[in-house]
C-alpha cells in the first residue's frame, strides 16, 4: 500500500531537523538528555537521528542560569541568517528536488 508509513514502510527515515540547542549548565548531570532530542530520536529511528539548524551553537556559552540556557534572543542576526540557509540547503531544497518527507521543528528564532 502506497500509504503505509509504518515501520515496515520502504520510505527512508531522514533525520529530524530541530531548531537550536539549549545551553547546558556545568552542574547538569553528564547523562542528562534534552527531552526534545530524545523525542526526535524516538521519532527519527535511533540515537543521533537529529540535527539543529544552528549546528552546535548555543544561546550563551557556559551559561550560569537556566534562563541563559534558553536565551535564544542572544543569537545574532548573522547566526539566524546562517541557520535559515542551513535549513534551506540541508532540508528544504533536497525535499523539493528529490521528494520525500522531513520533520522540521518550528524555528521562529531564525526565521523572524
Amino acid at each position: 500500500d502506497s500509504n503505509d508509513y509504518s515501520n515496515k514502510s520502504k520510505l527512508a527515515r531522514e533525520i529530524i531537523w530541530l531548531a537550536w540547542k539549549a545551553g547546558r549548565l556545568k552542574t547538569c548531570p553528564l547523562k542528562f538528555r534534552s527531552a526534545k532530542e530524545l523525542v526526535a530520536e524516538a521519532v527519527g529511528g535511533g540515537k543521533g537521528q537529529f540535527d539543529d539548524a544552528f549546528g552546535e551553537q548555543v544561546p550563551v556559552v557556559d551559561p550560569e542560569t537556566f534562563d541563559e540556557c534558553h536565551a535564544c534572543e542572544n543569537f545574532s542576526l548573522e547566526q539566524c541568517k546562517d541557520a535559515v540557509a542551513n535549513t534551506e540547503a540541508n532540508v528544504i531544497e533536497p525535499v523539493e528536488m528529490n521528494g520525500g518527507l522531513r520533520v522540521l521543528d518550528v524555528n521562529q528564532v531564525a526565521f523572524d
Side-chain angles (χ1 to χ4, degrees):
D1 181 357
S2 64
N3 292 322
D4 179 11
Y5 297 109
S6 66
N7 287 335
K8 63 184 178 183
S9 171
K10 302 296 183 202
L11 291 174
R13 288 193 180 193
E14 298 286 344
I15 64 170
I16 306 296
W17 197 255
L18 301 178
W20 50 275
K21 291 184 183 306
R24 187 177 181 95
L25 296 172
K26 290 179 182 176
T27 58
C28 186
L30 291 176
K31 292 186 178 185
F32 177 82
R33 300 281 312 280
S34 158
K36 187 182 275 191
E37 291 176 0
L38 293 172
V39 169
E41 288 178 348
V43 172
K47 190 166 174 92
Q49 293 299 306
F50 64 90
D51 207 346
D52 297 278
F54 282 88
E56 294 298 317
Q57 300 175 89
V58 293
V60 174
V61 177
D62 296 326
E64 295 182 8
T65 67
F66 180 82
D67 287 341
E68 285 183 349
C69 291
H70 298 274
C72 57
E73 66 276 2
N74 288 351
F75 286 122
S76 70
L77 179 59
E78 193 62 34
Q79 286 173 304
C80 292
K81 287 180 180 179
D82 288 346
V84 170
N86 191 12
T87 301
E88 290 172 343
N90 289 296
V91 180
I92 297 170
E93 291 172 6
V95 170
E96 286 179 338
M97 293 173 56
N98 305 313
L101 300 169
R102 293 296 297 269
V103 177
L104 294 167
D105 186 17
V106 174
N107 195 349
Q108 280 309 125
V109 173
F111 283 84
D112 273 350

